[in-house]
Amino acid sequence: MPTKKERDEYLRGLNPIDDLMFRKMAEHKEFCEEILRVILDDYKLVVTDNMQQFDIKNLQGRSVVLDAKCITGDGRYINIEVQKANDDNHLKRVRYNASVLTANVTETGKQFEFVPDICIIFISAFDLFKGNLPLYHVVKTVKETGQVIEDGLTEIYVNAAVDDGSKLAKLMKVFTKNDIYDEADFPVTSEIKARFKKDEGGTVKMDATLQKWMQESEEIGEKRGERRGRKEGVKEGKIKGANEEKLRIAKDMIASGLEFGFIARLTGLSEEAVAALQG
C-alpha cells in the first residue's frame, strides 16, 4: 500500500489525459460541454446530462466502464474515452463500446429507425493513425461506390501528439502538460484542472477517489480470484482475477514513466506482472 506522500506525488503528476483525473473532471457537466464544443466544432452544443465512470454490461454479462457518457440537447449519446497507453486494438475497443452503449440506451421493442445516435470520442496521447493530424473522423463507406453510410454512429479520434496550432491542439496541451492552463480559450477545463492539482480541497477529493478505487479494485480482484481459484488454483485465480480497470491504470502509469515498484504498490499487482504489461 503506497504512503500518503507517494499518493500525493502521483496525484500531482496527473492531468486530464489520465483516467483518474478525467473521470473526476467529467463529473462537471460544464467541463464536458466545453471540450465537446471544441472537438465537435459546435459552439452551440449543450450537454443536458452527464455521467462519469458509467458501468454497463453486454448480453453475456461482461462489464465495460465508460470514462464519461454525455447526452446532448439534440438527443445524441456521446461516450468520451481517454487513453494514454498505445497497448491494445483501440479500434475494436471503440467498436465494442459503441455496440454496448447502443444496446444499453435503446428502448426494448423500438423499431431500428429510433435507435439513438451514438458518438464515440477517443482522446489519446498518441497518433493512432499516424497521419500527423490531431483529429480524425472515421466514416463508413460503400467500397464499390464510395457512398457514405449514415447509420447513426460517429467515431472521432483526437490525439495530443500532433500540434498544428489549432484550438483543439491547444486543448490537448491542457490535457497532457503538467503546468499548462488556458483560461482564455478553456476557462472551465483550466479552472477544474487547477482545482484538483493545486487546491487543498481538490487534492483531498482526488486522494479519496484514488483510495476508493484501490479498495474497490482489490475487492473485485479478490472476488474474481476466489471464483477462478476454485477451478484453477488459488495463485492462478488471483492473477487472472485482477480486473481490467486495474490493468488499464497500471498501463497508463507505465506510459507515464512511473517505477514498477510504485505501480505494484498502488494497484496490488506484483512487480513481475507490471513488468509484463510493458511488453
Side-chain angles (χ1 to χ4, degrees):
M1 179 69 69
T3 65
K4 185 178 186 306
K5 182 179 179 180
E6 287 179 318
R7 295 198 309 271
D8 288 345
E9 184 177 351
Y10 167 61
L11 292 171
R12 281 195 297 270
L14 293 182
N15 289 290
I17 193 65
D18 293 288
D19 189 78
L20 189 67
M21 176 170 278
F22 178 80
R23 290 182 180 182
K24 286 302 293 180
M25 294 180 69
E27 292 177 356
H28 300 268
K29 184 165 59 178
E30 298 81 6
F31 163 70
C32 295
E33 191 170 87
E34 184 172 81
I35 66 171
L36 286 177
R37 285 180 172 183
V38 176
I39 294 170
L40 297 174
D41 193 24
D42 179 1
Y43 290 87
K44 294 183 179 181
L45 179 146
V46 175
V47 172
T48 59
D49 192 19
N50 68 299
M51 181 180 297
Q52 54 81 33
Q53 203 165 359
F54 184 63
D55 190 356
I56 55 179
K57 293 180 173 62
N58 66 10
L59 295 176
Q60 286 71 41
R62 176 178 175 175
S63 178
V64 59
V65 181
L66 305 183
D67 288 343
K69 182 191 78 171
C70 302
I71 304 175
T72 62
D74 57 2
R76 286 178 293 170
Y77 288 82
I78 301 179
N79 166 216
I80 311 171
E81 293 289 316
V82 294
Q83 182 69 30
K84 203 168 186 179
N86 189 8
D87 60 350
D88 205 344
N89 189 323
H90 298 296
L91 294 176
K92 287 191 174 182
R93 176 185 172 192
V94 166
R95 170 187 158 195
Y96 180 81
N97 285 4
S99 63
V100 177
L101 180 58
T102 300
N104 182 266
V105 301
T106 302
E107 295 182 24
T108 303
K110 285 284 187 180
Q111 292 182 322
F112 288 114
E113 178 184 355
F114 301 106
V115 170
D117 288 347
I118 299 291
C119 176
I120 307 294
I121 296 176
F122 185 83
I123 302 174
S124 64
F126 48 89
D127 183 359
L128 181 63
F129 298 106
K130 303 185 185 306
N132 201 32
L133 296 171
L135 178 70
Y136 301 93
H137 293 80
V138 174
V139 298
K140 183 183 294 185
T141 61
V142 177
K143 182 178 180 180
E144 289 75 13
T145 66
Q147 179 184 0
V148 175
I149 301 301
E150 299 288 351
D151 60 1
L153 173 61
T154 301
E155 294 182 32
I156 298 175
Y157 296 81
V158 180
N159 75 82
V162 179
D163 183 1
D164 64 351
S166 64
K167 189 170 183 178
L168 177 60
K170 291 180 181 179
L171 175 62
M172 288 299 100
K173 286 184 179 180
V174 180
F175 255 66
T176 56
K177 304 299 182 182
N178 206 34
D179 295 314
I180 289 185
Y181 303 88
D182 190 335
E183 291 83 1
D185 286 328
F186 318 111
V188 176
T189 301
S190 297
E191 188 276 326
I192 297 176
K193 174 183 173 180
R195 189 191 315 166
F196 283 126
K197 289 178 70 71
K198 297 179 179 180
D199 293 356
E200 183 177 353
T203 56
V204 169
K205 288 181 180 179
M206 284 287 289
D207 187 53
T209 300
L210 176 61
Q211 292 191 69
K212 180 182 178 183
W213 172 82
M214 290 167 59
Q215 180 180 356
E216 290 177 348
S217 182
E218 187 64 30
E219 290 173 353
I220 292 172
E222 288 178 356
K223 288 179 181 178
R224 291 184 178 179
E226 288 171 2
R227 290 197 298 268
R228 291 180 179 270
R230 286 193 288 268
K231 294 182 178 180
E232 305 176 21
V234 176
K235 183 177 180 179
E236 292 80 2
K238 284 185 177 180
I239 293 173
K240 292 184 178 180
N243 64 11
E244 294 178 9
E245 193 68 9
K246 179 185 292 187
L247 297 176
R248 179 179 173 184
I249 294 291
K251 290 175 181 178
D252 280 354
M253 295 174 76
I254 291 172
S256 298
L258 296 172
E259 295 182 356
F260 289 173
F262 172 75
I263 299 173
R265 290 194 297 278
L266 183 70
T267 62
L269 298 169
S270 67
E271 287 194 42
E272 292 78 9
V274 173
L277 293 174
Q278 190 178 32

